[in-house]
Amino acid sequence: MRRIVDMQPTRLQKKQAEDPVDRLKEKLGNTADVRAPADAEEPILSPSVRTALYQWMSEIRAKKDLEAVGVKPRTNALLYGPPGCGKTTLAHHFAARLGIPLVVVGAENIWSSGLGDSELKVAKLFNGLIEANTPCVLFIDELEAIGGTRSANTGGSADNARTSVLTVLLRKVEEFACGYLLGATNRPDDIDPALWRRFNMQIAINLPGEEERFAIVRRYGLPYAFSDDDIDILTNATDGASPALLRELMEGVKRTLVVRPRMNMPIDDPIDIFGSIIAATMPPPEMETPKLWRGSAALSPLAEIAWPPSRKEN
């Protein structure tokens, strides 16, 4: 007599979705730096940049409605302005708001002195994005290094090589359909006009104004509790400073407040503290010197700050 055996259905193993960040890293290798949306930091933006970004994201979300009236959302933008003003941070925030990875490419990832090598690297980058088959924001930094204007070419081998790279880049930018493309440059006048026209938008990322400096100083001063009046003093004193320089300044303050007591050194003089940080934290040489960095007289208003600042408890 046969024994009846109850057959249990085999459970299908649900294949786990591949992480798009891992997939992009696999396909791109050392051609680019891939950053996850969760690692993005919210930038402190000027009203004009914030409006431009908000409108762009609204366009993306209104894709069907726009297509109904015969237009499409814009898919790329060129960010230009002084160094250290947050172009990379903005690109990462934009990608995070869309929930997709950021692919960061610098000129050093592409430019090579070998004959034909740079063109191959450009092709490898864009082909890798196609093979990855996952939406992303491609961010090309220092765009002028590989997309510089051809008007200054002298006909030398280096100029011919750059022209060849630019030709490939123009075609790849035109064909790009893997998400969104952002270019960045500190030298907009050096961008080739044909490449400039390939971008749907050109957004100026300038030095922060008073409101932006106030917010940046407050953010990077935490967990130390500076009053609004003290932050106003620092805001006025740092006119002309980039976000990157402001961050270095305030992080330098925090390091000094923690480390100096361990060295049996005083921390009771704000002018001494800020003066020591400024001496070791300089703006890029191509930028105009910010107010606080113009000599000892610029430090005198800081004597009015309540010092040392108290530390907020978590």
Side-chain angles (χ1 to χ4, degrees):
M1 182 175 180
R2 296 188 180 184
R3 189 162 52 96
I4 298 174
V5 178
D6 291 331
M7 299 295 293
Q8 297 295 327
T10 303
R11 287 188 179 179
L12 297 176
Q13 295 297 319
K14 192 173 183 179
K15 187 177 180 181
Q16 207 163 19
E18 188 175 4
D19 186 341
V21 172
D22 291 339
R23 182 165 180 79
L24 284 163
K25 286 181 177 179
E26 176 192 348
K27 296 298 181 182
L28 297 176
N30 60 3
T31 309
D33 174 28
V34 183
R35 303 182 187 182
D39 296 331
E41 178 181 343
E42 185 169 358
I44 295 169
L45 304 172
S46 67
S48 60
V49 175
R50 187 165 57 246
T51 299
L53 186 65
Y54 180 73
Q55 180 172 336
W56 191 12
M57 297 190 69
S58 297
E59 285 181 19
I60 292 168
R61 290 167 180 151
K63 181 180 179 180
K64 289 184 178 179
D65 291 339
L66 288 174
E67 288 177 347
V69 295
V71 293
K72 296 180 180 180
R74 291 171 286 187
T75 58
N76 61 40
L78 178 64
L79 310 178
Y80 66 94
C85 287
K87 292 183 281 292
T88 305
T89 302
L90 173 58
H92 199 180
H93 173 69
F94 175 66
R97 291 289 296 269
L98 296 175
I100 56 181
L102 177 72
V103 176
V104 180
V105 179
E108 72 279 2
N109 298 115
I110 292 177
W111 182 250
S112 175
S113 58
L115 183 64
D117 286 350
S118 297
E119 295 93 317
L120 289 174
K121 286 183 178 181
V122 172
K124 180 181 178 182
L125 167 66
F126 284 91
N127 290 340
L129 292 172
I130 293 170
E131 290 175 12
N133 193 29
T134 183
C136 68
V137 172
L138 173 61
F139 178 71
I140 305 178
D141 201 6
E142 298 177 335
L143 191 62
E144 75 283 349
I146 55 174
T149 180
R150 289 168 286 188
S151 62
N153 283 5
T154 60
S157 58
D159 284 339
N160 291 336
R162 291 183 188 279
T163 298
S164 179
V165 174
L166 175 60
T167 301
V168 176
L169 183 62
L170 288 170
R171 187 175 69 253
K172 293 297 183 181
V173 169
E174 190 78 31
E175 297 170 351
F176 184 75
C178 300
Y180 304 90
L181 173 61
L182 289 170
T185 180
N186 304 328
R187 297 158 54 186
D189 292 344
D190 291 343
I191 297 291
D192 190 86
L195 182 57
W196 181 280
R197 290 194 298 270
R198 291 299 193 281
F199 288 95
N200 306 142
M201 291 177 284
Q202 295 81 27
I203 304 173
I205 313 296
N206 293 317
L207 292 169
E210 282 190 14
E211 289 188 7
E212 293 80 58
R213 287 200 308 279
F214 185 98
I216 292 167
V217 168
R218 181 171 58 186
R219 173 184 288 183
Y220 293 114
L222 293 173
Y224 289 94
F226 292 89
S227 70
D228 285 355
D229 288 341
D230 290 343
I231 297 177
D232 274 332
I233 292 171
L234 287 168
T235 298
N236 292 331
T238 54
D239 185 27
S242 70
L245 192 59
L246 291 170
R247 179 173 185 168
E248 288 179 17
L249 177 68
M250 298 310 295
E251 289 185 348
V253 169
K254 292 189 285 189
R255 290 191 188 97
T256 304
L257 291 173
V258 170
V259 173
R260 275 201 176 188
R262 294 171 175 263
M263 302 167 63
N264 294 318
M265 294 178 67
I267 59 169
D268 57 352
D269 184 356
I271 292 181
D272 176 45
I273 296 290
F274 279 93
S276 66
I277 296 165
I278 287 168
T281 309
M282 299 301 292
E286 67 268 25
M287 290 182 64
E288 185 177 346
T289 303
K291 186 176 179 180
L292 192 60
W293 279 258
R294 294 176 189 169
S296 57
L299 290 164
S300 57
L302 304 187
E304 301 299 319
I305 296 176
W307 201 265
S310 60
R311 183 172 174 177
K312 289 183 177 180
E313 297 297 329
N314 292 334

